Amino acid sequence: MELWQERSRNSILCSDLVAQRFGLDSHALAQVVERYPMRITPHQFELIRQADDPLGCQVIPDPRELLDDSLLVDPLNEEQLSPVPHLVHRYPYRVLLLVAGSCFSYCRFCTRKRKVGCSSMSVSLGDILKGIDYIAEHPEVNEVILSGGDPLTMSDRLLDDVLARLSRIPHLQVVRIGSRAPVVMPERITDALCALLRRYQPVYFLTHFNHPREITEATVEACQRLVRSGVIVANQTVLLRGVNDNSETLFKLFHTLYRLQIRPYYLHQMDLTCGTSHFRTRLEDGIAIMDDLRGPLSGLAVPSYIVDLPGGHGKVPVTPDYVQRLGDHARLRAADGTLVDYPQS
Ligand code: SF4
């Protein structure tokens, strides 16, 4: 057994243990876990100082999850956009293939909270093969995003098999892997895994840091191993109340990622997922944060602030109104608020 598999086996699943360590009500915690399972990797558990600190509240169950029934169970309408099980076809040219039935840890704010840690998430090899067949039968699809769950919970052998099958589809040009492993299970980013990914270039690796404290010696090493192997690493962050909803935290996060050659790609407005409303921020807050970041932060380190619209309408950028259209010319708002005339032709 590899080190990461052993570490994964030692993940914290017992809510009593968490309640004891952080002085929480174990009965209340157990009730939440009954509906929304809990899983915390040893790496994360060691970094948490308090239940409500920016790392704790991402993974420790919160009774407020059960009070929120007003939002949507499947906010992105993924179930309706699945022509075959575990494949989501929302945009014409790319698909999401859900190849893994579990994650290393269960984020309390997850869009797929409805099934994370539940049997409905489990994926068989037969399901994966059906998804690959679907891609092969759709020549318009030129990109696939492997997600789940976390694709890196798969063994190298299975991942290799999936990537090899995908690489034989002539019209498929790019593979993207979405994984939180570098953040929560850095042991998973082994030299063998990097060598495997190198064989299937171009592979884009999309990871998910939400707070600067997640950037540790181990996570830096994991990301550097990926970067050295030629994989292009980008990051998506979810804007979370009480975790990272201020300019200072996000400046530090994005600047550090940029320095590590990890491109900050998206800042996501929280999806309208049932059980997560205590994490939600207002759009104005996100716009104000982005305003603060532009300028001090290098342009390459500024992510797009986006909303994935409910109902499966896709992602839209959220930008302040920089442009006033005035017939044949426009006026653009500078970072200091000055309006500058700008001819259109
Ligand atoms: S790792 Fe991703 S899919 Fe898994 S619980 Fe976290 S956000 Fe959801």
Side-chain angles (χ1 to χ4, degrees), residues 103 105-107 109-110 116 148-149 180 208:
C103 305
S105 77
Y106 300 151
C107 312
F109 52 84
C110 182
V116 161
R180 261 207 119 180
H208 181 169

Side-chain angles (χ1 to χ4, degrees), residues 58 102-113 116-117 121 147-150 178-181 184 208 238:
Q58 290 189 54
S102 65
C103 305
F104 290 110
S105 77
Y106 300 151
C107 312
R108 308 314 299 176
F109 52 84
C110 182
T111 297
R112 300 193 188 108
K113 199 173 174 78
V116 161
M121 201 171 196
S147 182
D150 194 316
S179 168
R180 261 207 119 180
V184 301
H208 181 169
V238 182

Side-chain angles (χ1 to χ4, degrees), residues 179-296:
S179 168
R180 261 207 119 180
V183 186
V184 301
M185 179 62 77
E187 302 88 340
R188 176 65 184 98
I189 312 300
T190 60
D191 288 334
L193 173 74
C194 292
L196 187 166
L197 297 177
R198 198 183 304 130
R199 289 203 298 277
Y200 295 102
Q201 297 295 352
V203 172
Y204 284 78
F205 194 102
L206 205 55
T207 192
H208 181 169
F209 285 91
N210 285 328
H211 193 274
R213 270 185 47 212
E214 291 168 336
I215 303 176
T216 66
E217 208 180 310
T219 59
V220 167
E221 243 175 63
C223 291
Q224 282 179 341
R225 227 171 279 147
L226 281 169
V227 170
R228 277 198 303 268
S229 73
V231 172
I232 296 159
V233 186
N235 183 72
Q236 46 188 355
T237 294
V238 182
L239 186 57
L240 299 165
R241 195 199 305 168
V243 174
N244 57 15
D245 57 335
N246 63 81
S247 318
E248 297 73 33
T249 301
L250 288 180
F251 176 88
K252 194 168 173 194
L253 176 67
F254 297 146
H255 180 73
T256 312
L257 291 171
Y258 174 53
R259 187 165 53 77
L260 295 169
Q261 291 176 272
I262 303 167
R263 167 86 163 90
Y265 174 48
Y266 278 149
L267 174 65
H268 285 269
Q269 174 70 8
M270 272 276 308
D271 292 329
L272 301 170
T273 314
C274 180
T276 66
S277 61
H278 56 293
F279 282 116
R280 282 178 56 74
T281 54
R282 295 173 318 147
L283 281 174
E284 299 94 283
D285 301 335
I287 289 171
I289 289 173
M290 291 302 293
D291 255 352
D292 288 346
L293 296 180
R294 278 187 208 97

Side-chain angles (χ1 to χ4, degrees), residues 293-313:
L293 296 180
R294 278 187 208 97
L297 206 53
S298 159
L300 276 171
V302 179
S304 298
Y305 174 40
I306 55 128
V307 173
D308 213 336
L309 292 170
H313 293 284

